Amino acid sequence: MKKKFRVTKSNGNVFADIGLPNAAEHSIKADLVLRIAARIKSKGLTQAKAASLLGLAQPDVSKLLRGHFAGYTYDRLFGYLNALGEKVCIEISEAKTKKDARLELEMTD
């Protein structure tokens, strides 16, 4: 007998899909952590060396890279990207409508 699974199409933000408050913030922080992980990998850093660069303990780097980013502010995550050689630019612009007023993250290579 085949099991039937119910599939729900994502709206593009898994945090919103599972009903977490502040879903946009969680999604952006997750993307920043993924960028930090990619930068660590591209530089060939061990977690210990990355920890030294970021001013963290190695176990904290491990936790961060495994998605435990609760308690990390945007400012701290941006600082980690700076420490890894990334330039962070923040743009604030007027939204045409209240619905358009939202947090967005755009990353370039």
Side-chain angles (χ1 to χ4, degrees), residues 59-89:
D60 293 329
V61 171
S62 178
K63 289 177 189 172
L64 182 65
L65 297 179
R66 287 185 285 118
H68 298 271
F69 52 81
Y72 286 88
T73 62
Y74 289 125
D75 188 49
R76 282 181 76 186
L77 297 173
F78 293 153
Y80 298 155
L81 287 166
N82 289 154
L84 292 165
E86 293 277 346
K87 178 180 175 182
V88 176
C89 300

Side-chain angles (χ1 to χ4, degrees), residues 15 23-36 64 69-75 77 105:
F15 300 103
E25 181 179 334
H26 288 300
S27 181
I28 289 172
K29 286 182 179 182
D31 287 342
L32 291 170
V33 170
L34 286 171
R35 183 68 172 239
I36 291 166
L64 182 65
F69 52 81
Y72 286 88
T73 62
Y74 289 125
D75 188 49
L77 297 173
L105 176 66

Side-chain angles (χ1 to χ4, degrees), residues 93-102:
S93 60
E94 186 175 352
K96 292 181 177 150
T97 67
K98 188 170 182 168
K99 185 178 179 181
D100 291 336
R102 64 184 176 275

